[in-house]
Amino acid sequence: MFEKLRVLMYHSVSGNGHRDGLTVGRDQLEEHFQYLRSRGYQAILLSDLIAYYDHKQPLPAKPVLITFDDGFLNNYQIAYPLAQKYGMKINFFLVPAFITSGYYRKEACMGVEDIQRLDPALVEIGLHSYDHSSYAEMIPSRIATDIERCQISLKRMGLRYQPCLAYPYGAFPRRKGYDQTRLFEILEEKGIRLAFRIGNRINGLPLRHQFLIQRLDIKGDEPFLLFRISLAAGRKLFGLPGLIRAASLLFNKPSVKILVSFCLGVAFFLLIMEIFRACQGCPCSA
């Protein structure tokens, strides 16, 4: 059985039930945590993945890396208590400029004191650029400067971070050539061990490329069924995410019922396959 690593990407968390492409509701996030625990997924920290990559330290069965981008204050107020409640290790990718200003997109961000209060056994932080500029639009020298500014700023704030980077907007030089090659060289030079894109696929283990680890984009305005399918097979499978999302919005229309039935059938099949794979790895099956 092939080993897999799922990396979940969240952003903001609302306490009033609001949901959108970048915001999950509190109840929604709790449902996700409950499901992860019930299905035997084991949350890991960035340092666990570094130890696996650098030193071949084994990961737990069914590892999942739960990440939150941008450092919104609601991550501290809502996501962190839920992580404590369910024993879920989580990881925050932070932007020093947002910590300093206290805001991003008119939403409050965590301050230094908030971050320092986090339990390091439950939460680790990584880099998300200095001011959230797209690396796809920067020349290599500017990327190097940005990473260095980010590292220096976090150190001056007294914040311990893991040498991991989530590309802002998931963007980086996509075409193989000098810019992409130089980006990877810069990451090595700056001591970055792992870097994360979006990609919306599940990562096979061992990792194919330490600077192109894929994350699953978890959106608040999508149904729970899609979260389950994403965990089972990634979000790219046959374009199902878009189909299911459209179906959830148009569910009352008769023309959509056939599509919904098809999607549910495929989802059921994927879940059965996931159960089968889990049973294969279960000691009681030996």
Side-chain angles (χ1 to χ4, degrees):
M1 183 174 64
F2 294 105
E3 295 296 327
K4 305 284 187 180
L5 170 68
R6 292 152 173 88
V7 185
L8 309 184
M9 180 181 71
Y10 294 89
H11 291 83
S12 185
V13 186
S14 73
N16 60 7
H18 172 73
R19 301 180 182 185
D20 59 35
L22 293 176
T23 307
V24 298
R26 182 194 186 282
D27 292 344
Q28 189 177 22
L29 183 60
E30 184 164 20
E31 186 178 31
H32 291 179
F33 283 0
Q34 288 173 338
Y35 183 76
L36 289 169
R37 191 167 71 171
S38 71
R39 300 296 297 168
Y41 289 99
Q42 300 188 66
I44 63 173
L45 295 171
L46 291 169
S47 59
D48 296 321
L49 193 55
I50 293 174
Y52 165 80
Y53 184 78
D54 283 351
H55 307 296
K56 310 304 180 185
Q57 294 292 325
L59 292 173
K62 298 185 72 171
V64 59
L65 187 76
I66 303 171
T67 67
F68 292 80
D69 286 4
D70 304 331
F72 292 109
L73 180 60
N74 54 50
N75 291 178
Y76 172 75
Q77 296 172 329
I78 302 175
Y80 178 51
L82 286 176
Q84 292 175 307
K85 179 178 179 180
Y86 290 97
M88 284 287 172
K89 297 176 181 179
I90 57 177
N91 304 270
F92 295 157
F93 285 112
L94 303 181
V95 180
F98 299 165
I99 299 173
T100 301
S101 68
Y103 287 91
Y104 175 51
R105 294 184 175 180
K106 299 182 179 180
E107 282 197 60
C109 290
M110 289 184 284
V112 173
E113 292 184 358
D114 301 317
I115 301 166
Q116 290 175 334
R117 293 191 190 101
L118 298 169
D119 181 357
L122 202 65
V123 184
E124 289 183 344
I125 68 174
L127 313 179
H128 197 38
S129 81
Y130 176 76
D131 60 4
H132 210 265
S133 296
S134 171
Y135 282 9
E137 300 174 1
M138 291 186 189
I139 60 175
S141 61
R142 283 192 61 202
I143 294 175
T145 299
D146 180 271
I147 294 173
E148 187 172 349
R149 289 183 71 192
C150 189
Q151 293 171 322
I152 292 173
S153 297
L154 292 177
K155 288 178 181 177
R156 286 177 176 171
M157 294 174 185
L159 300 177
R160 182 180 178 183
Y161 64 87
Q162 295 299 321
C164 299
L165 170 75
Y167 301 116
Y169 310 105
F172 61 94
R174 297 298 181 95
R175 296 182 62 181
K176 293 182 179 180
Y178 171 77
D179 286 351
Q180 188 178 98
T181 300
R182 184 63 188 127
L183 167 66
F184 298 154
E185 291 174 348
I186 289 169
L187 295 177
E188 291 275 10
E189 292 165 4
K190 299 302 178 183
I192 302 299
R193 300 308 306 131
L194 305 170
F196 299 81
R197 54 174 297 186
I198 300 179
N200 279 313
R201 291 183 174 87
I202 296 171
N203 301 280
L205 294 175
L207 296 170
R208 294 182 61 184
H209 198 301
Q210 78 271 34
F211 297 142
L212 294 175
I213 302 173
Q214 304 201 56
R215 296 194 287 171
L216 301 169
D217 187 8
I218 307 302
K219 299 178 180 293
D221 56 358
E222 294 178 339
F224 181 55
L225 172 61
L226 185 49
F227 176 77
R228 295 168 66 177
I229 291 177
S230 297
L231 280 174
R235 291 175 55 88
K236 292 285 188 179
L237 184 68
F238 309 129
L240 281 178
L243 292 175
I244 293 177
R245 189 178 182 191
S248 69
L249 296 174
L250 302 171
F251 186 78
N252 291 327
K253 293 188 177 183
S255 60
V256 178
K257 290 184 178 179
I258 295 177
L259 175 61
V260 173
S261 298
F262 169 75
C263 292
L264 289 174
V266 173
F268 180 73
F269 172 76
L270 291 172
L271 291 174
I272 292 298
M273 292 301 295
E274 183 184 9
I275 292 171
F276 177 73
R277 289 195 298 267
C279 289
Q280 283 185 316
C282 179
C284 63
S285 66

